[in-house]
Amino acid sequence: TSSGRSIPRRTLAAAANPRPELYAGLLTNRALAWHLEGRLDDAERMDRQALKIAEEVGAADLVGNILTNLGDIAERRGDYPVALARYGEALARIDSLRAGQHGQRAAVKTMASRVYVHEAMIHLLGKLDAAEPDSGYGARAFEWAERARSRALLDLASTAAGQSGAARMVTLAEAQGRLRSDHEALLEYSVGDSSTSLWVIRRSAWRLVHLPPRAALRSRVLALRRGLGDAQSADGERTRELTQQLYRLLVGPAEPFLEGVDRLVISPDGPLALLPFEALRVAREGSSKAPYLIERFDVRYTPSASAVALERAGRSSGAIIAVGNPSFPQSSEAGPVLAPLPNTQYELACLSRLARGGEFVELDGARATARGVLALPQLAGASILHFATHGDVNEAEPELSGLWLAPDSGSVAPSRLEVADILRLHLSADLVTLSACQTGLGRMERGEGVLGLQHAFLAAGARSTLVSLWSVDDRSTAALMDAFYSRTLGGREDRATALAKAKRKLLASSASRSPFYWAPFVLVGDPGSNGR
């Protein structure tokens, strides 16, 4: 039932002595029932009793939950200073729990299961910022949003670079200073159950904008991804409606602050990490010819503002490694039957031509094996790693997501380059391109984003990745890669500009104008400059 009275007193009494932690948990459940009934005084009294026991027995996890409940009680009463203090204490406990976990997955799970506390803090600070815009609450909310996300990536990247301790989170002022000019804007989203926060950040100013909560966004984002990922529906009426709806919800409120901006750095959160913002249409009622976002802005993505500021220690050698058109066995007895990818040979030829006599390593056909890739002496120092093959995503165990390659020597089954293999590397690549299907996907963890191939390559030291959000067409992908590399390897344009122009080139062609062909690939990380 919903009432705390349903818990028998004898059960509480029986649990009190032998299992004080269990007793404290039962008290917390009773307090929560009263909390939901609006009996805030009774709930607070019971929570404080439970807190005393939990602290005495060192139940840090339970202490964090109780402090969060006390913060919510204070917020409901309008006692915001106390609410902020309780949420802050709860978050300190979560950080200590996370630091005590062994291994990345354990730390991620600790964070993901408790990210609602960060959301509560961000929501409250956003509410206070709306009431007092010049109070600094919005900047504090941004810092909590940064602490809530991409911690695993930053910690792994610090380890790979040989730095001790957790990576430092940037302040809002530091995020402003990292932007290249006032023609560039960072859109950082923090999606919560109560509301979504959007920081529109430029070098000269910033604004905090409040958007609808997770429930109002998630279903639309997933429906749009399904529409865009199907060649038949990508340019259909329903998909066009969704592109305009999500533009109005996610970008429209930022429009007043984007005058003079032609480059966007998008830091998505939650379900927004699965969305190619370039395919959103500038909302114009009754118009089927509303322009796409990519027609106005060059776009790149980042896991967080702190990831933008992440400094990579290694320098690349300038070598290009291209892996593609693997020889897949065509018998099911040897493992999964994977379709041949003959058009990927065109991507390798394009890279070879553009290398202009520089060091170029090509693995194709039977040589394109996982063992062959990992054995390359040029791997750690290569400037560009390009994989043109099949990929797959394991949402249950993201470490098992991988790229399919030709059988290793002595094997008849396709080999795989998996996330676990990548995380053991120490790369200095300016760019890792995963010209395969759904390489930008993975397990969605609240507070950490998408854990998968792109996360692994960034953590291993790559400065940027080019990944796909749905199953791609290999012919249009070859054309996109040719246009992209022709611009960025020629030294004329950075990677974000080169990719935007490549997409516009496909958009201008009747054969590839549908967003199904040009929208799946997104650039995550540092765009470089002058071809780097």
Side-chain angles (χ1 to χ4, degrees):
T1 70
S2 63
S3 173
R5 300 188 191 90
S6 65
I7 302 175
R9 292 182 180 276
R10 62 178 176 275
T11 301
L12 295 177
N17 294 322
R19 295 285 302 278
E21 185 174 345
L22 173 61
Y23 179 53
L26 290 168
L27 292 177
T28 302
N29 290 339
R30 188 173 189 179
L32 181 59
W34 282 340
H35 190 158
L36 296 174
E37 291 175 0
R39 297 173 57 183
L40 299 184
D41 290 343
D42 291 333
E44 181 180 12
R45 175 175 51 80
M46 191 65 70
D47 271 329
R48 290 193 178 281
Q49 185 179 347
L51 180 62
K52 182 178 179 182
I53 297 169
E55 287 181 328
E56 287 175 352
V57 300
D61 195 3
L62 185 55
V63 168
N65 291 339
I66 298 169
L67 288 168
T68 303
N69 293 341
L70 289 170
D72 189 63
I73 290 170
E75 184 175 351
R76 287 174 182 241
R77 287 173 172 159
D79 192 347
Y80 298 143
V82 169
L84 290 174
R86 295 294 87 79
Y87 290 148
E89 292 172 28
L91 289 165
R93 300 287 179 145
I94 291 170
D95 275 347
S96 66
L97 280 171
R98 187 182 186 282
Q101 297 295 331
H102 298 290
Q104 180 200 15
R105 287 297 294 145
V108 167
K109 288 177 180 176
T110 297
M111 191 71 171
S113 65
R114 297 165 180 83
V115 75
Y116 66 89
V117 190
H118 287 87
E119 292 176 1
M121 175 71 91
I122 294 164
H123 175 71
L124 177 54
L125 288 168
K127 186 161 57 175
L128 293 171
D129 179 75
E132 303 176 50
D134 298 323
S135 62
Y137 288 120
R140 287 176 60 188
F142 174 84
E143 291 172 23
W144 281 110
E146 281 293 299
R147 292 180 63 176
R149 58 202 299 178
S150 300
R151 290 291 299 272
L153 170 60
L154 295 176
D155 290 350
L156 278 170
S158 293
T159 301
Q163 301 167 359
S164 60
R168 189 179 67 82
M169 305 297 162
V170 301
T171 65
L172 198 150
E174 288 171 330
Q176 286 182 275
R178 296 283 179 166
L179 295 173
R180 300 185 172 203
S181 75
D182 212 38
H183 294 289
E184 185 173 60
L186 168 64
L187 303 184
E188 177 150 323
Y189 295 84
S190 178
V191 179
D193 290 332
S194 299
S195 66
T196 293
S197 300
L198 165 60
W199 289 268
V200 186
I201 302 173
R202 299 176 65 174
R203 287 181 68 96
S204 59
W206 63 271
R207 293 290 186 279
L208 172 58
V209 180
H210 301 285
L211 307 179
R214 179 180 283 104
L217 300 175
R218 186 176 184 275
S219 60
R220 289 183 174 92
V221 170
L222 295 180
L224 178 56
R225 277 200 68 258
R226 285 194 298 270
L228 291 173
D230 182 272
Q232 301 301 316
S233 63
D235 208 25
E237 182 178 352
R238 176 55 179 159
T239 304
R240 287 199 301 269
E241 290 175 359
L242 286 167
T243 61
Q244 294 195 38
Q245 286 179 21
L246 283 166
Y247 180 90
R248 284 193 291 268
L249 290 172
L250 298 173
V251 183
E255 278 282 5
F257 315 114
L258 296 179
E259 185 176 353
V261 170
D262 55 23
R263 298 171 63 90
L264 293 180
V265 184
I266 296 176
S267 180
D269 184 37
L272 304 187
L274 305 175
L275 179 68
F277 279 68
E278 295 97 317
L280 299 184
R281 287 179 180 262
V282 179
R284 291 177 181 169
E285 294 295 339
S287 173
S288 62
K289 295 184 179 180
Y292 290 103
L293 192 75
I294 192 62
E295 296 180 79
R296 177 178 171 187
F297 299 105
D298 296 350
V299 180
R300 64 183 172 100
Y301 297 80
T302 182
S304 68
S306 297
V308 172
L310 192 63
E311 295 183 0
R312 304 294 190 172
R315 288 190 60 81
S316 60
S317 64
I320 298 173
I321 296 175
V323 183
N325 194 23
S327 297
F328 295 124
Q330 295 304 298
S331 169
S332 59
E333 295 179 1
V337 177
L338 301 166
L341 297 169
N343 283 319
T344 62
Q345 193 69 49
Y346 178 77
E347 297 178 40
L348 273 58
C350 168
L351 278 165
S352 177
R353 171 173 51 84
L354 293 170
R356 292 182 173 85
E359 187 173 11
F360 179 77
V361 180
E362 179 177 323
L363 295 180
D364 65 347
R367 299 185 304 134
T369 68
R371 192 175 298 163
V373 170
L374 294 174
L376 286 173
Q378 301 92 338
L379 184 62
S383 176
I384 292 176
L385 304 177
H386 182 97
F387 294 90
T389 184
H390 291 292
D392 70 356
V393 170
N394 189 320
E395 294 189 1
E397 294 294 334
E399 296 91 342
L400 301 180
S401 298
L403 299 169
W404 288 104
L405 295 167
D408 286 320
S409 177
S411 174
V412 295
S415 63
R416 283 169 58 78
L417 186 65
E418 295 184 342
V419 164
D421 302 315
I422 298 162
L423 288 174
R424 288 192 286 268
L425 301 176
H426 297 280
L427 302 175
S428 54
D430 296 312
L431 173 68
V432 175
T433 296
L434 304 180
S435 179
C437 297
Q438 302 183 24
T439 50
L441 303 185
R443 182 185 178 94
M444 177 64 68
E445 290 280 17
R446 289 175 73 165
E448 296 291 351
V450 177
L451 302 182
L453 289 163
Q454 64 144 309
H455 176 278
F457 276 109
L458 289 171
R463 291 174 175 82
S464 65
T465 61
L466 184 58
V467 295
S468 64
L469 297 177
W470 56 79
S471 297
V472 297
D473 175 82
D474 64 334
R475 183 172 299 177
S476 61
T477 296
L480 179 77
M481 293 300 168
D482 188 3
F484 167 68
Y485 281 122
S486 294
R487 292 181 176 278
T488 193
L489 288 183
R492 293 180 292 159
E493 294 157 344
D494 67 38
R495 293 183 283 274
T497 300
L499 181 61
K501 290 186 176 179
K503 290 184 175 186
R504 291 169 194 149
K505 182 176 180 179
L506 266 65
L507 180 58
S509 168
S510 59
S512 56
R513 123 176 352 126
S514 168
F516 170 78
Y517 298 107
W518 54 262
F521 284 100
V522 295
L523 180 70
V524 183
D526 183 358
S529 60
N530 297 325
R532 285 193 51 79

